[in-house]
Amino acid sequence: MSITERDLNHFGETNAAKDKLLEVRNLKTYYPIKGGFFRRTIGQVKAVDDISFEIKKGETLGLVGESGCGKSTAGRTILRLLNATSGQIIFDGKDITNVRGKELRQARKDFQMVFQDPYASLNPMQMIGDVISEPFKNFGYKNKKEIKEEVMNLLNRVGLPEDAYYKYAHEFSGGQRQRIGIARALALKPKLIVADEPVSALDVSVQSQVLNLLKELQSDFDLTYLFIAHNLSVVKHMSDRIGVMYLGNLVELADKNAIYDEPLHPYTQALISAIPEPDPKRKRERIVLTGDLPSPANPPTGCPFHTRCPVAKPECSEVKPTFKEVKPGHKVACLLY
Ligand code: SF4
């Protein structure tokens, strides 16, 4: 019996599906705006407005954009900390968009978040040993000796001394607190970690130590990262591919070198032009965007970037560009392409 082209296509698709850890399809997260005497819904903040992307196993996808562009809301929706308004979140082959109760708890074992402000996410009244033990207890692990051993291993793995077990959050520096947050996120050996601005609250001197730790842990623990940040140099250091968000929309997505060396979207070009060029012989023209970021409660018609785009055409205010692949692996939403 011969193998047909259809069989081969099917085989290819199946392998590609196995490769994906996360697939986000047409995801929208809107917040209602309440007003009037009866607190009726009078509008919606379109925090995430129809984004689609996927992350392969072991990959790091960076999400960048100005504050308020929806990147953190996207991360929280994917982890089911917020409810999606519509769209689909497929995690490890399973649609988790609307799972609840026991099923959601079970799914949560496999994805964790590392927060921007580790201090706010650590209970100041709990010993660090208890903070890191919590996920084990929440998932029914009972053997106290084994849990303690695991916690000690995790402390060691994130570069903290064993006596950290008996201390409290206020006794640590910002960088050490972020290491504690990372240890807690790793406790249940998740597959995906969403890191939301994990170093932006830290001193520059410790940022690279924490970033390098995240990289080491990625290979040791077979982790996949969704790495959210506004600092493009940090995102470049961490990511394999980068997605650029503007006003709740994904406007460009490509391999990190393509984003830095050949950005296609005028917004990405402006972001990249603002990065200081370390080589004085290479001159990069700075593109300064004028105008304020519009409100996601009242986004512009047509292309969401047209009110600030330096190369906007008349039709840009009427037609919303589709997010499409214009080169292999390089997607952009702009009417110029
Ligand atoms: Fe600029 Fe028009 Fe492209 Fe939007 S569609 S980025 S306004 S050129």
Side-chain angles (χ1 to χ4, degrees):
M1 191 172 65
S2 67
I3 299 174
T4 64
E5 195 179 329
R6 193 163 152 259
D7 292 334
L8 284 172
N9 283 342
H10 176 70
F11 182 70
E13 275 168 23
T14 315
N15 273 351
K18 270 188 200 156
D19 240 24
K20 274 182 231 164
L21 182 66
L22 177 73
E23 192 179 353
V24 172
R25 295 184 193 152
N26 306 105
L27 188 69
K28 293 184 184 175
T29 311
Y30 292 176
Y31 300 115
I33 304 169
K34 304 274 183 192
F37 186 71
F38 294 107
R39 308 279 305 143
R40 288 206 182 98
T41 301
I42 55 167
Q44 283 173 319
V45 175
K46 297 179 175 180
V48 175
D49 197 13
D50 197 352
I51 63 168
S52 300
F53 63 86
E54 54 192 56
I55 312 183
K56 295 193 193 78
K57 286 180 183 158
E59 187 185 34
T60 299
L61 179 77
L63 266 192
V64 288
E66 290 163 284
S67 100
C69 71
K71 54 193 190 304
S72 292
T73 304
R76 284 178 158 73
T77 310
I78 289 163
L79 293 191
R80 292 294 319 278
L81 299 171
L82 295 170
N83 284 329
T85 305
S86 65
Q88 274 183 305
I89 305 157
I90 317 285
F91 180 76
D92 215 7
K94 188 168 184 239
D95 187 342
I96 58 153
T97 325
N98 298 306
V99 293
R100 307 221 176 276
K102 210 174 154 196
E103 245 188 314
L104 177 58
R105 258 171 62 80
Q106 209 49 38
R108 284 221 165 106
K109 257 177 97 172
D110 287 334
F111 45 75
Q112 293 292 322
M113 188 146 193
V114 172
F115 295 91
Q116 175 179 0
D117 181 354
Y119 195 60
S121 65
L122 299 175
N123 182 345
M125 310 297 284
Q126 267 186 324
M127 273 192 327
I128 295 309
D130 291 331
V131 169
I132 305 176
S133 304
E134 215 169 2
F136 294 109
K137 291 174 185 160
N138 289 345
F139 278 88
Y141 293 91
K142 294 216 163 63
N143 189 321
K144 285 186 182 160
K145 190 165 162 270
E146 276 177 25
I147 293 176
K148 189 167 181 184
E149 263 173 31
E150 278 292 328
V151 174
M152 290 299 189
N153 284 338
L154 284 165
L155 285 172
N156 186 293
R157 193 59 204 83
V158 299
L160 289 170
E162 287 195 351
D163 67 354
Y165 189 100
Y166 304 100
K167 293 185 175 174
Y168 293 84
H170 71 268
E171 297 177 72
F172 295 92
S173 67
Q176 287 172 322
R177 287 199 290 257
Q178 194 54 294
R179 286 171 191 267
I180 295 164
I182 293 168
R184 185 178 54 184
L186 287 175
L188 298 169
K189 308 246 175 340
K191 294 176 182 164
L192 173 75
I193 286 192
V194 174
D196 187 8
E197 301 274 10
V199 295
S200 58
L202 306 179
D203 286 348
V204 176
S205 56
V206 293
Q207 287 189 357
S208 57
Q209 293 168 16
V210 172
L211 293 175
N212 289 338
L213 174 67
L214 285 169
K215 280 203 150 189
E216 283 166 30
L217 295 170
Q218 181 165 32
S219 55
D220 293 359
F221 286 76
D222 274 335
L223 293 168
T224 301
Y225 288 142
L226 176 61
F227 190 89
I228 299 167
H230 68 278
N231 181 325
L232 280 146
S233 307
V234 167
V235 172
K236 186 179 184 191
H237 179 69
M238 291 301 291
S239 311
D240 299 303
R241 289 185 304 135
I242 294 174
V244 181
M245 284 189 73
Y246 184 81
L247 212 62
N249 294 261
L250 205 48
V251 295
E252 188 161 3
L253 178 68
D255 175 82
K256 71 170 167 187
N257 293 323
I259 289 284
Y260 280 79
D261 300 336
E262 294 171 70
L264 297 179
H265 196 281
Y267 178 61
T268 317
Q269 288 167 352
L271 287 183
I272 299 292
S273 81
I275 304 174
E277 176 57 70
D279 180 355
K281 286 189 208 127
R282 278 181 63 176
K283 288 238 177 317
R284 199 190 264 148
E285 199 186 328
R286 174 98 197 254
I287 304 167
V288 181
L289 293 179
T290 51
D292 293 331
L293 187 68
S295 164
N298 187 18
T301 54
C303 171
F305 187 52
H306 86 261
T307 55
R308 299 169 80 198
C309 180
V311 290
K313 303 185 287 177
E315 61 265 41
C316 297
S317 60
E318 286 157 24
V319 184
K320 185 166 184 180
T322 48
F323 187 56
K324 62 178 185 228
E325 191 164 35
V326 294
K327 291 181 186 181
H330 198 146
K331 290 184 174 180
V332 66
C334 173
L335 297 178
L336 297 179
Y337 303 96

